[in-house]
Amino acid sequence: MLNRRNFLTAAVGVAAAGGLAACAKEDEGSSTSSSGGSGGGKKLTLGFSQVGSESGWRSANTDSVKASAKEAGYNLKFSDAQQKQENQISAIRSFIAQKVDVIAFSPVVVTGWDAVLKEAKAKKIPVVLTDRSVETSDESLYVTLVGSDFTDEGRRAAKILEKVLEKAGHKGAVKIAQLEGTTGAAPAIERAKGFKEVMDADHKDDWKIVVSQTGDFTRAGGKQVMAAFLQSNPDIDVLFAHNDDMGIGAIQAIEAAGKKPGKDILIVTVDGVKDGFVAMSEGKINAIVECNPLLGPQLMEVVQKVKDGETVERWIKTEESDFMQDQAKEVLPSRKY
Ligand code: AHR
């Protein structure tokens, strides 16, 4: 479920994009339904560059985008960047060359987009960010962001860790290991920032991040890095993993080291995918901060408005919840992804 909160609003100075011809050629993954676009005219063509398929969250997000584009009747040109910025830049350039109506993308990292976004702007093709934000010298290079507040997710992770520690009866010093997401990616930067904010404000004397490294948002990365953490810091009390997949990989490493995840090492993750809930219902994850991947319906709505030259909010935030271990069994059957 998505929630519009009041943020800056941006006039979409992109009505001119409506004058661009939609490309008839459909790439792999294109939607084929024919009702789309406003007023039953020509189908709206959306170029979408996805980060990759690094996690369960990402697969759910891809499914949501494809299904929603089909439902909306758009011609979707979908491209998977395999976690590489250069692939995303090439995909965006290709969308520009094909004169798509709107470009949407989930940027793998925050920096390095100005040149390609200027090319899109020069051709009057509006850009919508989805899931992740970018840092840019010119705010007019994109219209809006549809996605989560990752800094707040980091804060929520720290707040829920307080409850986890209390429930476990843990007193005194807390040695924390942090598995970071992809280096330079908005969720990695901002979740770490939000977590540290709460830690510095409320737990300066008792909590300490003793080790922190990227696991690239993948299970394999989480497993490998956690194994190394346990070698250098065998007395870790808590793992904060920036996503479920890294947490699940880490659980394998913790078990291989002869320790009990969820007991010997308390674990808080972000996302809330089905596999995360399975691990939580088995007592191996203590709490999950939700990050909702089902952005497709809201994205398609925004894309249509942008194409029509309507005003949209600058940031359309996602509504999310937090879950403790004792909720896992009840919530698991209703998880959609
Ligand atoms: O940008 C969202 C993050 O990217 C998710 O938390 C993670 O699982 C994904 O890979």
Side-chain angles (χ1 to χ4, degrees):
M1 290 294 293
L2 294 162
N3 177 31
R4 293 170 167 228
R5 295 184 200 159
N6 261 343
F7 260 70
L8 295 170
T9 56
V12 184
V14 292
L20 293 162
C23 179
K25 181 175 163 280
E26 286 186 355
D27 294 344
E28 200 185 339
S30 293
S31 313
T32 51
S33 55
S34 58
S35 62
S38 51
K42 190 171 56 184
K43 270 210 272 188
L44 185 156
T45 297
L46 171 66
F48 184 90
S49 169
Q50 181 58 289
V51 170
S53 51
E54 72 282 3
S55 63
W57 189 100
R58 190 62 55 196
S59 308
N61 180 250
T62 292
D63 291 349
S64 173
V65 168
K66 286 185 175 174
S68 306
K70 191 168 186 181
E71 172 79 23
Y74 298 166
N75 175 25
L76 175 69
K77 295 181 176 297
F78 183 90
S79 175
D80 178 342
Q82 297 174 339
Q83 295 252 68
K84 291 198 171 68
Q85 184 175 34
E86 61 265 33
N87 291 346
Q88 287 201 296
I89 291 173
S90 301
I92 294 168
R93 290 211 163 108
S94 155
F95 297 149
I96 296 169
Q98 293 174 64
K99 299 179 177 170
V100 300
D101 294 304
V102 180
I103 292 171
F105 78 115
S106 175
V108 61
V109 290
V110 290
T111 55
W113 301 103
D114 276 18
V116 73
L117 293 182
K118 279 179 186 159
E119 291 168 32
K121 189 179 177 188
K123 295 289 179 190
K124 297 187 168 54
I125 300 177
V127 174
V128 173
L129 301 180
T130 174
D131 164 32
R132 300 179 178 180
S133 57
V134 299
E135 274 171 28
T136 171
S137 57
D138 177 357
E139 291 289 302
S140 76
L141 293 179
Y142 71 91
V143 180
T144 182
L145 163 67
V146 180
S148 304
D149 184 337
F150 298 132
T151 308
D152 199 48
E153 288 174 353
R155 289 187 201 111
R156 283 159 48 206
K159 294 311 283 179
I160 209 162
L161 176 57
E162 292 172 352
K163 289 190 197 162
V164 166
L165 288 164
E166 194 188 327
K167 210 165 188 313
H170 187 104
K171 303 241 183 308
V174 182
K175 291 185 182 142
I176 303 170
Q178 177 172 237
L179 273 170
E180 302 161 27
T182 302
T183 303
I189 297 168
E190 292 164 17
R191 285 174 189 162
K193 180 173 162 242
F195 188 88
K196 192 167 178 304
E197 217 175 272
V198 174
M199 204 174 89
D200 289 350
D202 302 335
H203 301 284
K204 227 180 171 51
D205 299 329
D206 50 345
W207 294 14
K208 190 172 181 209
I209 296 181
V210 292
V211 65
S212 184
Q213 206 181 301
T214 181
D216 213 12
F217 279 132
T218 66
R219 267 181 214 207
K223 184 177 179 185
Q224 194 191 327
V225 175
M226 189 69 201
F229 282 175
L230 288 166
Q231 289 282 327
S232 59
N233 295 70
D235 53 353
I236 290 164
D237 300 306
V238 165
L239 169 67
F240 169 39
H242 287 188
N243 78 347
D244 290 341
D245 281 85
M246 291 190 295
I248 290 164
I251 286 169
Q252 294 167 13
I254 292 167
E255 287 174 334
K259 289 179 186 270
K260 282 206 171 89
K263 292 208 164 49
D264 298 333
I265 297 181
L266 303 171
I267 302 179
V268 174
T269 63
V270 184
D271 275 358
V273 296
K274 229 174 206 150
D275 286 355
F277 270 85
V278 169
M280 194 154 71
S281 67
E282 292 169 351
K284 296 179 180 181
I285 290 179
N286 301 82
I288 295 180
V289 169
E290 186 181 42
C291 178
N292 191 339
L294 306 180
L295 303 178
Q298 187 77 63
L299 175 64
M300 298 314 146
E301 199 185 302
V302 167
V303 161
Q304 186 65 61
K305 285 186 176 169
V306 166
K307 167 76 165 63
D308 293 344
E310 286 180 37
T311 299
V312 296
E313 290 167 13
R314 185 69 176 157
W315 184 5
I316 297 158
K317 284 199 199 181
T318 313
E319 192 177 271
E320 294 159 342
S321 310
D322 302 329
F323 299 93
M324 290 289 285
Q325 197 178 74
D326 52 14
Q327 297 168 272
K329 285 204 171 97
E330 194 194 326
V331 175
L332 179 58
S334 61
R335 286 316 275 176
K336 292 199 185 77
Y337 48 87

